[in-house]
Amino acid sequence: KSILWFNGVNGNQLGLIVRSWFSSSGIDFLTPDTFGQQVAYMSRPKGEIIQAHIHEPISRTLIGTQEVLYVRKGRIRVDFYESNRTYVSSTILEAGDLMLLNTGGHGFEVLEDIDMIEIKQGPFAEGRDKTRFVPEPHEIRYSDESPN
């Protein structure tokens, strides 16, 4: 599948992965309006003009931090966790893949030298932004689907 949702046991949408081969025509908004980050895929023909515009300074209230990772080179394993630190499943990202981390926890193992870009709300609040944890021992369960 070219678009994968990783859901927790209570239906929490932990993450969205858009594989490098995903394609759609026009504009395809991939995330719900309830997310603090919006991911859209756009396919536009040569010569089309996208009108110049300004984004107005509207107020939004965000709780938590969502991250977007874009893998430029290499391979990395992503482990998804519930907010209570319970392991859910894993998948591998490769060059060209994009991932939105919405809620819950996550960890990584770099499988090949990797170059990636991270986008999130800033600035980083050192000491308040994240809680690191050592996961309970578990068997890695690769999934291209949520366990639900």
Side-chain angles (χ1 to χ4, degrees):
K1 292 185 172 183
S2 58
I3 297 221
L4 306 170
W5 279 102
F6 285 81
N7 296 323
V9 295
N10 294 326
N12 296 329
Q13 294 173 309
L14 303 176
L16 165 71
I17 294 175
V18 182
R19 296 292 187 191
S20 63
W21 60 85
F22 175 77
S23 182
S24 182
S25 60
I27 300 174
D28 194 354
F29 290 96
L30 306 176
T31 50
D33 291 340
T34 56
F35 279 28
Q37 290 277 9
Q38 186 175 57
V39 176
Y41 178 87
M42 298 181 193
S43 177
R44 306 288 188 127
K46 180 181 177 178
E48 180 175 331
I49 303 297
I50 299 172
Q51 187 174 2
H53 58 282
I54 295 170
H55 293 271
E56 298 296 336
I58 64 172
S59 179
R60 292 182 172 95
T61 301
L62 300 173
I63 298 173
T65 302
Q66 293 180 326
E67 297 177 68
V68 175
L69 299 176
Y70 175 72
V71 178
R72 291 178 41 133
K73 177 184 96 171
R75 295 175 71 231
I76 190 168
R77 187 187 78 226
V78 183
D79 300 329
F80 293 94
Y81 297 88
E82 296 276 5
S83 294
N84 67 5
R85 304 176 186 181
T86 302
Y87 174 71
V88 176
S89 64
S90 301
T91 194
I92 294 175
L93 299 179
E94 298 181 335
D97 289 346
L98 179 131
M99 176 176 61
L100 168 67
L101 295 165
N102 180 52
T103 189
H106 47 273
F108 305 95
E109 181 180 346
V110 177
L111 304 174
E112 293 177 6
D113 290 351
I114 192 163
D115 291 341
M116 64 182 179
I117 297 170
E118 177 185 82
I119 303 163
K120 65 181 175 184
Q121 297 93 357
F124 179 66
E126 186 69 44
R128 297 182 301 134
D129 199 54
K130 64 173 81 172
T131 301
R132 298 179 193 277
F133 64 96
V134 176
E136 293 293 323
H138 60 273
E139 189 173 317
I140 299 298
R141 183 174 54 247
Y142 287 103
S143 175
D144 280 345
E145 301 277 346
S146 165
N148 295 347

